[in-house]
Amino acid sequence: MLRTLPLHKRHIPASRIALGCMGLGGDWDHQPITAEHIKQGHEAVDAALSIGINMFDHADIYTRGKAEKVFGQIFKDRPELRENIIIQSKCGIRLMEPGDTSNVFDFSGAHILNSVDGILSRLGIEYIDILLLHRPDPLMDPEEVAAALHKLKAAGKVRHFGVSNMSAGQIKLLQAYCDEPFIVNQLHLSLAQISWVDAGISVNREPWKDITFPEGTLEHCRTENIQIQAWGPLAQGLFSGRSLENQPENIVNTAAMVQRIARERGTTPESIVLSWLMTHPAAIQPVIGTVNPLRIAACADADKLELTRKEWYDLYVSSRGQKLP
C-alpha cells in the first residue's frame, strides 16, 4: 500500500509526485526568456496536471532565475492556477559570476530575505507555500537563519519551511533555534543513487565506513514527519531509454530488469523506477526533473503501483552490483 505523504499530515494536499522546474528557461546564461520557453513551460505544466501533479519545485538559481520567470508568465496567462497548485522554491546558493572561483553557499539573513523577494517577484505571486534552504552553509549562524525565517513567516511571504541536502544533525541544529518546523528534506535518491539504502543495511559491517550518506537522516525525517523528497529520481533516464554505452554492468543489467518488470506490469520504465522509491515505507516524494511532456506522462502509473518485496530487492541488488550478506 502506497504511503501517505507526511505533507498531508500537515494539511498540505501535495501530489505523490512533484515536478521539478530546473529545465525551464533555456540555458544557464543571462539571455532573456523567449516565447518558446513560455510555450515549453505551459506544455510541461499541462502534462503534469494531466497526471495529477499539483506541486512544482523551483530554486532561485534555476537557469539563473529564468525558470521562475517562465512560471511567472504562466501565472499571468492563467491566474486561476495559483490557488490550485503548491509552489516550492529554494535559496542559499550564490552562482559563480565572472571573476569568481566557485559557487558559494549563503544562509546569511540578508541573502535569505533578498532571495525570497526575488523569487516572489519573478513568479509574480505574493507567497510561496514552501521555502527550502538549498545546501548546507558551513558559515551558517542558526539564530540568524531563524530570525530571517521568522520575518518571512510574519510577512506572509512563506507558509512553510524545509531544507535540501541536509543530515539529521544539521536539521536538528537549525530546528533548535527556529520556531517553525522544517517539513521537507530534499535529497539525491534514485535507483542509481542507492547510498541511502546501503547506509541502513551496512550498519555494523566493514563497508559502512565508506558510505557517505549520513547515518540516521531518513530515520530522523520519518520520526519527525519531515517529507523526504527525492531529486534526480529518474536517474537522468538511465533505466528508461537513455544510451547505456560505457555504463557499468550493474546499470545495464538493472535497466534490462526495469524494462522486463515494466512489460510484466503493463506500464512504463519511468513508472517502475519511481515506484521503486515510492514503495519504500518512508513515503518518499519524487521530484521529477524532466519538462518533456511525453516523459512526464510516462510517470502516470507510478503512484498506482507498488512493487513486491522481491521486485524491490531484485532491483536494489542489481543496482548495487553485489549480493546482500
Side-chain angles (χ1 to χ4, degrees):
M1 179 178 180
L2 290 171
R3 309 318 196 259
T4 299
L5 293 181
L7 289 175
H8 293 169
K9 297 175 184 178
R10 300 180 186 275
H11 308 291
I12 302 172
S15 48
R16 284 288 284 124
I17 300 171
L19 183 71
C21 297
M22 187 171 69
L24 298 179
D27 296 328
W28 289 59
D29 56 26
H30 295 287
Q31 296 299 312
I33 60 172
T34 66
E36 186 58 34
H37 294 147
I38 296 166
K39 177 175 179 289
Q40 179 193 45
H42 278 292
E43 291 173 349
V45 168
D46 286 339
L49 294 174
S50 74
I51 64 168
I53 291 175
N54 72 346
M55 186 169 186
F56 296 84
D57 176 74
H58 288 269
D60 57 356
I61 63 167
Y62 287 169
T63 56
R64 294 188 174 273
K66 293 189 292 182
E68 289 176 334
K69 287 182 179 178
V70 167
F71 225 88
Q73 185 59 53
I74 293 171
F75 280 140
K76 286 181 180 178
D77 294 342
R78 300 155 71 175
E80 74 286 353
L81 191 62
R82 177 63 189 102
E83 295 306 314
N84 294 306
I85 65 174
I86 297 165
I87 292 291
Q88 173 176 280
S89 195
K90 313 179 199 73
C91 72
I93 300 178
R94 291 182 181 270
L95 290 180
M96 183 170 57
E97 296 288 356
D100 293 338
T101 57
S102 173
N103 297 338
V104 299
F105 306 148
D106 189 346
F107 283 0
S108 65
H111 181 72
I112 292 171
L113 295 173
N114 289 337
S115 293
V116 170
D117 284 343
I119 291 167
L120 296 176
S121 175
R122 287 186 293 274
L123 290 171
I125 57 180
E126 296 181 352
Y127 71 93
I128 56 174
D129 297 283
I130 306 172
L131 174 72
L132 306 187
L133 301 175
H134 206 156
R135 285 192 179 273
D137 172 14
L139 301 180
M140 173 189 74
D141 177 344
E143 290 182 279
E144 186 176 357
V145 173
L149 301 191
H150 179 78
K151 288 180 181 178
L152 291 171
K153 178 77 173 187
K157 295 179 180 181
V158 179
R159 293 189 170 177
H160 304 281
F161 299 95
V163 297
S164 182
N165 305 298
M166 287 200 192
S167 69
Q170 290 166 326
I171 297 171
K172 289 176 184 178
L173 174 62
L174 277 168
Q175 194 66 82
Y177 292 88
C178 295
D179 295 332
E180 287 295 316
F182 292 98
I183 68 169
V184 170
N185 189 13
Q186 190 175 118
L187 300 160
H188 192 190
L189 315 174
S190 74
L191 186 54
Q193 188 74 23
I194 58 172
S195 59
W196 59 283
V197 185
D198 289 339
I201 63 103
S202 299
V203 170
N204 201 35
R205 295 185 62 246
E206 182 66 18
W208 188 86
K209 65 181 177 61
D210 297 321
I211 296 170
T212 59
F213 192 85
E215 181 184 8
T217 297
L218 259 63
E219 292 81 359
H220 175 72
C221 291
R222 293 176 69 180
T223 300
E224 297 300 320
N225 276 326
I226 297 171
Q227 179 66 60
I228 300 168
Q229 294 179 342
W231 64 265
L234 290 171
Q236 297 183 317
L238 268 179
F239 307 116
S240 52
R242 181 175 139 196
S243 171
L244 296 175
E245 185 178 359
N246 299 322
Q247 291 294 329
E249 183 179 9
N250 62 308
I251 295 296
V252 173
N253 291 342
T254 305
M257 186 178 293
V258 167
Q259 299 282 343
R260 175 180 60 77
I261 295 173
R263 288 194 299 272
E264 292 171 354
R265 291 295 197 103
T267 189
T268 62
E270 288 87 350
S271 289
I272 295 298
V273 171
L274 295 181
S275 181
W276 184 79
L277 284 171
M278 296 163 73
T279 296
H280 191 279
I284 296 166
Q285 182 186 34
V287 181
I288 59 174
T290 180
V291 293
N292 180 324
L294 294 178
R295 290 202 70 210
I296 294 170
C299 300
D301 289 342
D303 67 346
K304 306 178 186 70
L305 292 170
E306 183 168 5
L307 300 182
T308 66
R309 184 175 291 264
K310 183 179 188 308
E311 289 169 332
W312 193 92
Y313 269 101
D314 283 349
L315 287 166
Y316 167 52
V317 172
S318 178
S319 181
R320 80 194 299 261
Q322 55 182 316
K323 295 179 181 178
L324 295 177

